[in-house]
């Protein structure tokens, strides 16, 4: 098998691992939790209210001001990092076309949008 077949298979396997494996492990964790709860019910053990609340509450939390701000800062930092890598790469390389700035603008603009949204988010935490 030559590299012309290994590279596409490796790229596909990486995408599958990144997308599928988290779902698999989360599903496995849920099944184990359900088996534990089922065994406790069959033995007549009372379930604490915390366990029931944990099983029934929504896993996805609503967006908050602080979470939006953190996400925005991370995206902005990624955009700045790509821009700096492009600048220094082209500066050292000598061609001076700086093509990567267009790509760097995408995460930077997403970051700025999240930062702006953090100021308008109605779910504000109290300031400490």
């Amino acid at each position: 098998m030559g590299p012309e077949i290994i590279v596409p298979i490796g790229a596909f396997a990486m995408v599958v691992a990144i997308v599928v494996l988290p779902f698999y492990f989360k599903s496995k964790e849920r099944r184990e939790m359900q088996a534990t709860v089922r065994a406790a019910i069959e033995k007549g053990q009372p379930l604490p209210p915390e366990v029931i609340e944990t099983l029934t509450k929504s896993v996805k939390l609503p967006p908050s001001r602080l979470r939006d701000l953190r996400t925005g800062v991370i995206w902005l930092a990624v955009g700045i990092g790509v821009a700096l890598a492009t600048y220094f790469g082209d500066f050292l390389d000598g061609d001076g076309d700086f093509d990567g700035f267009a790509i760097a603008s995408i995460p930077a603009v997403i970051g700025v949008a999240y930062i702006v949204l953090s100021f308008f988010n109605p779910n504000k935490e109290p300031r400490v």
Side-chain angles (χ1 to χ4, degrees):
M1 241 198 260
E4 60 273 354
I5 191 71
I6 291 176
V7 172
I9 290 175
F12 179 74
M14 182 179 63
V15 170
V16 168
I18 290 172
V19 174
V20 173
L21 286 179
F23 288 116
Y24 170 74
F25 287 123
K26 184 167 267 204
S27 173
K28 184 177 178 184
E29 181 182 339
R30 272 194 225 119
R31 279 183 291 187
E32 290 174 359
M33 175 65 85
Q34 290 173 355
T36 303
V37 169
R38 189 176 299 121
I41 290 173
E42 288 173 355
K43 291 183 179 181
Q45 298 288 330
L47 291 177
E50 296 86 20
V51 172
I52 295 172
E53 181 182 333
T54 303
L55 291 173
T56 58
K57 76 175 184 177
S58 174
V59 176
K60 181 112 173 132
L61 298 172
S64 66
R65 181 186 65 80
L66 186 59
R67 188 173 310 129
D68 283 348
L69 186 61
R70 286 182 180 175
T71 304
V73 168
I74 290 170
W75 276 106
L76 187 60
V78 168
I80 291 171
V82 171
L84 288 174
T86 298
Y87 175 75
F88 288 116
D90 284 346
F91 181 74
L92 296 175
D93 200 17
D95 60 358
D97 57 359
F98 304 110
D99 291 335
F101 282 136
I103 302 227
S105 67
I106 295 170
V109 169
I110 291 172
V112 170
Y114 268 110
I115 291 170
V116 168
L117 283 175
S118 73
F119 292 109
F120 296 107
N121 194 328
N123 299 330
K124 296 184 187 250
E125 296 92 11
R127 294 190 182 223
V128 181

